[in-house]
Each structure stands twice: as C-alpha cells, then as structure tokens.
Amino acid sequence: MKVKQHIGHLFLMSTLAVSMQAALAAGGAGASSGHPGTTKGEMAYEGAPIATKPDVTKDLIGGEGPPMTKAEFARAKQIFFERCAGCHGVLRKGATGKPLTTDITRKRGTEYLKTFITYGSPRGMPNWGTSGELSPKEVDIMARYLQHEPPQPPEYGMKEMKATWKVLVPPEKRPKKQMNDLNLKNVFSVTLRDKGQVAIIDGDTKKIVNVVNTGYAVHISRLSASGRYLFVIGRDAKINMIDLWMKKPDTVAEIKVGMEARSVETSKYKGWEDKYAIAGTYWPPQYVIMDGQTLEPLKIVSTRGMTVDTQEYHPEPRVAAIVASHEHPEFIVNVKETGKVLMVNYEDIDNLKVTSIDAARFLHDGGWDRTQRYFLTAANKSNKIAVIDSKTDKLVKLIEVGKIPHPGRGANFDDPKYGPVWATSHLGDENIAVIGTDPKGHPQYAWKVVRMLKGQGGGSLFIKTHPKSHHLYVDTALNPDDKIHQSVAVFDINNLEKGYKVLPIADWAKLGEGPKRVVQPEFNQRGDEVWFSVWNGKTQESALVVVNDKTLKPKAVIKDKRLITPTGKFNVYNTMHDIY
C-alpha cells in the first residue's frame, strides 16, 4: 500500500510540475490561483462557504475510517462546509468537483489524500496546503475526515417549513392602494450581503427608503407580476415577502424553505398573476410551491434522480435558477447536478405535471431572449449554454461557449451584423460569447456564437445592457487583479470591433482601504443610468456608483453607513418585465 501511495505521490507531483510550467509559460492572462487549471475567480466562486450549518448535521465517526477525536472531526466538518462542499456536495457524491465517497478515499489512503489536498491537481482542485489556506495539521485532519462517512444534514419537509412560516400582515389588513409617494417602477432592491438585509432605495432621489432584515446573503430579488410584492431569498433559504405599497415597504410574510437556497420566483402567466410563488433549495434538493399572497407552503417536490449524461443516480441535485414562463402557466426550474430543466405546470398542483428536458450538467443561471420565448441558461462547468423553447417545452440547442459561463440574466441587444443576440460573460476566462437568437429573421446565425469578444479578464459575474442603451457592461468582480475587479469594461454595441473602454468605478466611489470589488451593473427604469455596487469588507466603507449611460461619467455616489457589503441590485420595473 505504501509503495502504491508513493508512486501515486510521484505521479501527481510530476503532473503538477509539468502543468505548472505550462501555466507559467502561458503568462498571467488566466488570473492564476497559484495552481494549474483553476483561476482565483473560480476558487472564490466555487469555494464560498455554504449556508448549511455544520452543527446541525448527524456525525458518523468510527467504522473503517482512521482514528479521529471529536474535536478534529468538528474542525474538519467546518472546513469542508466552508471550502469543499460547494464543489463536492454536502454528501460528497460529487457536483462540479469529483466524488469523495469512502469507497474512493479509503482506497487512496491518508498519505495520498494529504498530498492531493496540499498540492491540488491540474484539473481544478485547489492547492489548499501550499497556498497557505490550510495548515499541515488541518490537511492531515481533512485527509482522515474524508475516509469517514459524511455527516448527514437533516431533511426539511412541510412540518419544518410551516414551523418557520409567519404572516406578519394578513392580506386583508394590507393597504388597498399605494400608501407612499415612491415611483415604484424605479425602486431598487439592493442586497446587503454580510448584514443579512436588503436596502430599498428610491431610484429617483437615490435615498434609502428602508433597510429590511432578511436571510443571510440574499441571492436574488424577484417581483410579483403586479409589481407590488418584492420576494427575496437568502443563501440560508429564508424568504421575505415585502409589500411595496406600505408607507414604508417592509416584510408582510416570511418562511424558511430549507438549509440553503438560491432562487425564488412568482407566477406571471396571464390569469395566474401573483397566484403562486416558488423557491428552490440546494439542501435539501427540492422545490416548493407556495401561496403567492402569504407564502404558505403548498407542494414540495424532490429533485433527486438520474444525471443526463451517465444516467446515474445523484442524491443531491441542487435547484439553481427559476424563471416564470410567459408561454404557459409554468415555472422553469434548473436542476444543477442532473442537468435537467423542469417545466413545472402549476394549473393543478395536486396533480402536478412536470416536463423534464435533458440539457447538460451543472445548470446555473440564465435569462430570456428578447421575445421571452427562449430561455438561455448556463451549464457552467460543462461550458455550454442550453437553449430551451418555452412554447414547445423542448431543448433547441446546446451551444459551446467559454470557460464557466456566468451570465446572470445575460444581455439582449441588436448586433449591427448578426441581428438580435444574447450575450454571456465567463468566470473562467476573459471571453464574452455573443449568440444569435432570431431563428426567423436571421436563421443562419440562430443559436450560434457569432462573436467572441475579449473583456478585461476572467472572474466576471454579470453582463448587462438595456433596450434604450447602446452600451454593454461587463464586471470582473472575482478577478484577482485590483485594477480589474475595481473597474468595468464597457463596449459600444454599434462598434464592437473597437473593443472596450474601462470605467474606474471604485476610484469614482472614493472609498478607503479594502478590495472594493465592483459588481452587477443594473439599469434604472428609463435606461439612462446604470448602477454599480462597490463591494468592500464588512467593516469597511462600501458605496453604490451611478453612471450616466450617455456620457459614461459618474452621476452620483450613494454612501450610507447602512450600506454594508452591497452586491446585487434589482430595479423593480426591469425585474418585473425581464428587461436585460
């Protein structure tokens, strides 16, 4: 066994050395994380702590695993949930990372695992030891921990959901008309990530209307079809339903739908407006349909099942993006690990009809084309965009793009040469893929990458434009280079060949020390302003910078002590009408 481990160690080190030399020879364009094959942007994205708390899991120490103390097991569990579960899954069955089940890890043994954790791999495993992220002692603890059965997080069913469900203001006691003077179409919901809040900001006056306590690290804000109710969901799976008609908009209902989550949406099909809400969770892997006026949980559906490629059972297929169809009374649900897009028909939730479309594994976020018929969604680690026809409920095409597409909702515009297109940026490289979306008017370009623009670098999270703008904005929030993540690239849509102009957003904010990551461009309702978050540390000053879209000059800088770690911003009108 020791001989085999030693040979494995030598092979791994040899492979790493060759790959490292190749990476160094290639230069710094890939924003190297210090180990081959993975950028720092990818590490920051994939290795973020999950919201499921380690202390609620059931420990399984013993059996065939090597000796561990309870203190060591607890420390390893914390590290795994903070560093590893995002890639390998809570149950270690594999997600974007390889499986780490005991039938594999025990065969490898402690010394092999220590080497692997220390040095990483050319295929994307971070070098946790040599990077200094984990000490030699922690590496040893993790190597032993991986040879024990994974702790089992609790399930979360109707009983648990209803125990957290609160209707703070019943529908009959809510205002019958708008009780404030806000131009609701130009209100912004701004995530205050590490504070567990959202700021409701008047887009006309640039003043904070209210700061609402929410779940941790709100991932997304969504509007009801009527535009009255704002739904936000934290990574800890807590949903707040906020009534924008109140004199001071605030929560009227709330619920916790699981241990970790990313998505919430409401019914938008004609005749079903505001009838239902839906949320999907990372743990447990499931989605829940709720009453659209109270958040009462009505129907829970598991997403566990077979993968689209190897046709193997996966116990932890996380629910990523959810959008509401405009063609049918359906929710479109991305199931990440199995690679399936579910068309969930809500006409009769007691006899639920679900059309399952095979796409590609690791589905994440995406958005509509300009006709709102075709849903383009990123299968991020598969480096593909899946095109779903929401009218026929069928897969149209799988399109190869760059490394780890992360479009947010993407960006729709008219390309001077190729007609209507939709664009995505990438986490893993500097490319912006521009895809034709007009099968009737421009069939020769439809569902093809017609342009591959070069941006500032990898680590992009969001791309955005507006029907009234001729600019395309691309952030690079997770790029390790200070100048790059503190600025944005902007392209002139009428002259894309010219390349991009850099806007020094963080410099315009005039903040003190800190990373000052510039993230998520978001337009106002009129399409003449674009807002950026300058995301600093929790104890450091952050800001929002408003740019004049016509002049590309700063128009306003919003500073307030309550703006702690601002990230995502969602304009009410644009979010209601899926304008991006």
Side-chain angles (χ1 to χ4, degrees), residues 225 267-276 329 346:
S267 53
K268 291 183 177 179
Y269 188 68
K270 188 175 181 180
W272 295 86
E273 298 92 340
D274 296 14
K275 173 73 173 176
Y276 293 120
Y346 49 75

Side-chain angles (χ1 to χ4, degrees), residues 104-329:
I104 297 170
T105 57
R106 287 173 185 167
K107 287 180 182 178
R108 298 296 187 185
T110 301
E111 291 304 315
Y112 179 93
L113 293 171
K114 283 169 64 176
T115 301
F116 202 73
I117 295 166
T118 299
Y119 295 101
S121 81
R123 302 188 67 179
M125 170 70 178
N127 55 329
W128 296 114
T130 57
S131 68
E133 294 286 343
L134 297 180
S135 68
K137 182 179 179 180
E138 288 173 325
V139 168
D140 176 68
I141 289 173
M142 292 305 298
R144 287 181 283 134
Y145 170 79
L146 293 176
Q147 297 172 73
H148 289 268
E149 295 296 334
Q152 299 292 307
E155 297 295 327
Y156 208 91
M158 188 63 73
K159 178 182 176 182
E160 288 78 13
M161 288 187 197
K162 285 200 170 181
T164 70
W165 172 48
K166 297 177 183 177
V167 180
L168 305 176
V169 183
E172 64 272 15
K173 293 186 178 180
R174 296 172 193 166
K176 300 297 185 285
K177 62 180 181 178
Q178 185 179 336
M179 301 302 291
N180 54 59
D181 297 325
L182 296 171
N183 171 17
L184 290 183
K185 291 182 179 180
N186 201 36
V187 164
F188 288 76
S189 172
V190 181
T191 295
L192 305 181
R193 188 185 187 279
D194 295 341
K195 190 67 174 175
Q197 297 174 329
V198 293
I200 310 298
I201 300 182
D202 183 342
D204 293 345
T205 66
K206 314 294 190 291
K207 301 293 185 184
I208 295 177
V209 176
N210 195 18
V211 174
V212 181
N213 291 326
T214 61
Y216 170 71
V218 161
H219 193 254
I220 207 163
S221 296
R222 284 290 169 260
L223 272 298
S224 63
S226 65
R228 173 176 181 172
Y229 294 112
L230 171 69
F231 295 79
V232 302
I233 188 164
R235 285 183 55 157
D236 58 0
K238 181 182 177 182
I239 301 173
N240 287 65
M241 179 180 180
I242 298 168
D243 189 352
L244 297 177
W245 280 13
M246 295 172 70
K247 187 172 183 180
K248 180 183 285 189
D250 211 338
T251 299
V252 292
E254 65 183 38
I255 190 172
K256 185 172 167 62
V257 293
M259 311 295 289
E260 184 172 6
R262 296 291 188 278
S263 52
V264 66
E265 180 62 294
T266 65
S267 53
K268 291 183 177 179
Y269 188 68
K270 188 175 181 180
W272 295 86
E273 298 92 340
D274 296 14
K275 173 73 173 176
Y276 293 120
I278 184 174
T281 49
Y282 270 25
W283 187 268
Q286 61 194 29
Y287 58 88
V288 56
I289 298 173
M290 299 163 284
D291 183 279
Q293 297 295 309
T294 66
L295 294 182
E296 179 184 5
L298 303 172
K299 184 84 168 183
I300 304 170
V301 182
S302 173
T303 55
R304 293 177 170 104
M306 315 306 284
T307 61
V308 297
D309 46 11
T310 58
Q311 299 285 296
E312 292 177 292
Y313 177 75
H314 200 293
E316 196 182 341
R318 299 174 287 184
V319 177
I322 301 177
V323 297
S325 174
H326 303 277
E327 297 285 349
H328 303 288

Side-chain angles (χ1 to χ4, degrees), residues 6 24 40 43 93 150 172 202 235 237 258 290 293 319 331 357 385 387 399 459 472 478 496 518 521 545 547 574:
H6 181 64
L24 291 172
K40 285 187 177 179
M43 287 178 65
K93 295 286 187 178
E172 64 272 15
D202 183 342
R235 285 183 55 157
M290 299 163 284
Q293 297 295 309
V319 177
F331 293 118
I357 301 172
I385 296 293
V387 182
I399 305 168
L472 177 68
L478 296 184
L496 291 167
V518 176
V545 174
V547 173
N574 293 338

